[in-house]
Amino acid sequence: MEVNKMNSKYEDVIIGLEVHIQLTNLKTKLFCSCNNEYRGKEPNTHVCPICLGLPGSLPVINKISVEFATRLALALGCDINESFWFFRKNYFYPDMAKNFQISQYNKAGGRAFADGGKITIKLNSKKKELQLNRIHLEEDPARLVHKGSIATSPYALVDYNRSGVTLIEIVSDPVMNSPEEAREYLKQLKSIVQYTEISDLDLDGSCRVDANISIKGHARSEVKNINSFKEVERALKWEIQRQKNLLKRGKELIQETRHWDDKRRVTIGLRTKEFEKDYRYFPEQDLVPIEITKDFIEQVKKKLPEMPNARAKRFQKDYQLSEFDSEILVLDKDIADFYENGVKSEKSFGPDEYKQYCNWLMGDISRWLNENNNVIKETKLTPKHLVDLIKLINEGEITGKIAKTFVNEMMKGTPILEIVKKSGKSRIADKNKITKIVEEVIKENRDIVNDYQKNPRALEALIGKCMKKTKGQLDPEITRKIVLEFLKK
Ligand code: ZN
Ligand code: MN
């Protein structure tokens, strides 16, 4: 029911996304040798005549940018164009010192970096292939800093450190039909980008999304500069509602550019949409055409790691995990690497432990990471921690319940045996010890024991009392047996 309701809510919605990704793993900018890493640096210190657009300066292409774009194109299954040249996209705005952005253009004889490609998503356990239009390289504009909201700020500050940083723009076809599909699309894209090792999308400002949204048969609006993947779903929902409300009131929609205000969580009309001709695209004469040989592509291909889709299939085979588990596990490359390092390091592990290891990673560990807004490589948890933990549980040294209380200490890097020792929480399986505790509990809780004749559930209450006395250390099976023996007396 829920699913049907959702489909009908959005069945006439059309969404296309333009995702800008900064290649944060580069050392230098796209056309100059300025340091690419501008975050946390003094404003306007990572600049030179080229990225400031001073007259007479000449841009030179960063070869590694081209290699990174090739990696992404291969990973997304795009067709790479063997030759292309850059274009000037003209517009007048303070974030662009030259008054044009060096970009690529797929018309007027120009070509994108690569055409086509696809991203496969899964929603409500249904797979859908989302067709990409193209990907291209371009330079990032400077960073504008506003006081408060962009709409009311009395001034804008410009930091040119970001100017000229390499962006890859990934343009989808208008093939998404709900904000949820867009969210899944971005989740998969983020994963693929992580696997290609071209960018760290967890860095603030490393991705920006422009979303084209329309209701079938009506003009579309373009919501610009949604500054994180998380915000996209929210912005789309809001914008769809706005358009539907207008139509309901009998108004017609206009083609316009809107801005997502992530503080007020609304879209604001900025200007009616500029049309492509307003950008006066023309070839960038200061850069030579780029040729990409088959040989170069082959070399890049060889260096590419296994991609998440293939890896999920292999995880099902190698570790007998379900399709569901495998697909979630491979999404974050660091988690998947951690998993493989762990399960491969212990020869005695088989399918049961593979599943246990997966459950720990996707359960308690992921929950801890979410709650602490952290990523696994920033913690001191090692693959061996989980190996040791699972072995102790399976050997009966600690109960699974107690193991869960170790997570905080584990994340600090404390070895498992040390945690067990410090906590004094190893499992108690010794019959004599358990009998003594049961005896005490029976003595102290005569009323519950008497209640047992009428109410068999009093058994659970007594077991609970035993557990409470020992902070959950008693082996539950043995304890149950001994309490029952006492009750029969
Ligand atoms: Zn520069
Ligand atoms: Mn762009």
Side-chain angles (χ1 to χ4, degrees), residues 38-197:
Y38 65 86
R39 288 178 176 76
K41 300 286 156 44
E42 185 85 6
N44 299 308
T45 52
H46 289 187
V47 291
C48 72
I50 293 169
C51 55
L52 283 175
L54 299 188
S57 62
L58 284 173
V60 179
I61 183 87
N62 179 344
K63 193 179 171 187
I64 313 291
S65 292
V66 176
E67 185 187 324
F68 278 18
T70 305
R71 275 198 218 176
L72 185 64
L74 288 170
L76 293 172
C78 312
D79 293 322
I80 297 169
N81 288 313
E82 70 278 10
S83 81
F84 62 84
W85 51 91
F86 284 95
F87 275 71
R88 293 183 176 188
K89 182 182 182 181
N90 295 277
Y91 66 90
F92 188 74
Y93 205 63
D95 64 1
M96 197 60 79
K98 304 190 289 279
N99 290 336
F100 61 82
Q101 178 190 30
I102 304 179
S103 181
Q104 291 187 254
Y105 192 46
N106 63 340
K107 291 170 195 160
R111 291 190 193 94
F113 185 86
D115 296 308
K118 61 172 197 282
I119 288 178
T120 307
I121 61 163
K122 204 181 203 176
L123 194 62
N124 304 323
S125 61
K126 255 201 254 154
K127 279 200 174 159
K128 183 172 174 184
E129 269 184 10
L130 299 175
Q131 183 67 38
L132 303 178
N133 185 284
R134 63 184 185 277
I135 71 174
H136 68 244
L137 283 164
E138 62 186 29
E139 56 180 344
D140 206 350
R143 200 166 69 91
L144 291 181
V145 182
H146 296 97
K147 183 174 187 267
S149 155
I150 185 173
T152 56
S153 180
Y155 57 79
L157 301 170
V158 192
D159 176 6
Y160 284 100
N161 284 351
R162 198 181 75 182
S163 177
V165 164
T166 308
L167 292 179
I168 286 188
E169 182 170 337
I170 299 123
V171 182
S172 83
D173 277 343
V175 286
M176 283 162 255
N177 299 112
S178 71
E180 289 81 8
E181 281 189 12
R183 178 194 66 212
E184 293 306 308
Y185 169 87
L186 294 173
K187 199 194 271 179
Q188 293 301 330
L189 176 60
K190 183 180 179 187
S191 175
I192 291 165
V193 167
Q194 188 192 18
Y195 273 81
T196 55
E197 290 170 342

Side-chain angles (χ1 to χ4, degrees), residues 73 100 120 169 203 235 347 353 411 428 458:
F100 61 82
T120 307
E169 182 170 337
L203 289 177
K347 290 218 165 58
E353 289 82 5
M411 302 312 277
I428 300 172

Side-chain angles (χ1 to χ4, degrees), residues 376-391:
I376 199 147
K377 63 179 178 195
E378 301 292 329
T379 72
K380 290 200 168 119
L381 185 78
T382 64
K384 192 172 180 305
H385 270 110
L386 279 189
V387 170
D388 290 347
L389 189 76
I390 287 168
K391 278 168 79 179

